[in-house]
Amino acid sequence: PYSSAALDHGNLLHRWFEEGDDFLELLVSPPPQFLTSTGLVGKEGERWAKNEAPEGAVIVSPKERAQILAEVAAVSGHPAAAELRAAAAEHEISVYWETADGDRLKCRFDQMTHDGLAVDLKTTREQDILASWWKAVIDFRYHLQDAWYQQGMEAMGLVAQPLRFIVVSTSLPHDVQVVTLPAALVEIGRAHV
């Protein structure tokens, strides 16, 4: 599967989103003498982790650990994001359905709230989310995702509602916004789907 530092970082933040604050206790950094000269986890750090880290630990550099903790604090401190997290009924819900033409489809929600809202956590390098995250929406086709997930909601017997994106910046000062996409853009996504 495709991997990158940004994707791996996003996956760690998703684990926290799914598992809660207990996940943060699993983030462990090797002592400084086992890090590379640039502060990363190299072969010495991996060797330390294999022999010394607690079972189940997730080994990260001190810099990445600090960044994740800062992003968690930013999401937790944002009123709308905190409200959505508190309303979680389930995480990582897979939905399978079949179209009238016999196509078998699926989607996987990061979170569903008790009142049927679908939530998706996104990370971005954009510092000012409201000013520039729209570029990522187009580049990564999140409007197609929104349209697809709304079909998944309908397959579950729910009223299709806009996907709530909790977007957190990986750049300081870790801006957080809870956004929905414009209905007209989602309709374009529906047409593409």
Side-chain angles (χ1 to χ4, degrees):
Y2 174 77
S3 181
S4 71
L7 184 60
D8 294 345
H9 180 82
N11 287 337
L12 290 174
L13 199 61
H14 268 86
R15 275 197 64 187
W16 161 75
F17 192 71
E18 178 185 354
E19 297 175 24
D21 290 345
D22 289 345
F23 171 71
L24 301 176
E25 299 300 319
L26 300 177
L27 296 175
V28 175
S29 298
Q33 66 268 29
F34 296 102
L35 298 172
T36 67
S37 60
T38 57
L40 299 176
V41 179
K43 290 183 181 184
E44 289 295 317
E46 290 171 1
R47 196 172 0 265
W48 174 88
K50 182 178 177 184
N51 297 321
E52 303 294 331
E55 187 175 335
V58 177
I59 307 303
V60 294
S61 70
K63 181 180 177 184
E64 181 158 37
R65 185 175 188 283
Q67 181 177 345
I68 289 171
L69 293 176
E71 292 163 359
V72 164
V75 172
S76 298
H78 187 277
E83 184 177 326
L84 283 172
R85 285 195 66 232
E90 294 290 335
H91 288 91
E92 300 298 324
I93 300 167
S94 295
V95 180
Y96 302 87
W97 71 99
E98 192 169 310
T99 67
D101 295 329
D103 296 317
R104 297 170 62 196
L105 307 176
K106 74 173 187 172
C107 68
R108 187 169 175 92
F109 298 105
D110 283 353
Q111 175 189 305
M112 292 292 292
T113 66
H114 289 285
D115 54 355
L117 297 178
V119 180
D120 195 71
L121 178 68
K122 297 288 188 205
T123 56
T124 183
R125 64 177 171 231
E126 303 297 332
Q127 283 186 304
D128 185 344
I129 293 166
L130 294 181
S132 55
W133 188 65
W134 65 269
K135 297 174 205 171
V137 169
I138 301 303
D139 289 346
F140 296 108
R141 300 186 284 179
Y142 295 147
H143 58 302
L144 274 73
Q145 177 190 2
D146 196 334
W148 188 270
Y149 281 35
Q150 287 189 40
Q151 289 181 12
M153 289 178 220
E154 291 167 351
M156 293 173 67
L158 298 173
V159 174
Q161 298 185 53
L163 189 55
R164 269 55 175 185
F165 292 96
I166 297 176
V167 186
V168 58
S169 175
T170 57
S171 302
L172 289 171
H174 303 299
D175 184 24
V176 174
Q177 298 293 332
V178 175
V179 298
T180 57
L181 302 183
L185 182 59
V186 177
E187 281 307 310
I188 292 170
R190 189 179 299 273
H192 284 288
V193 167

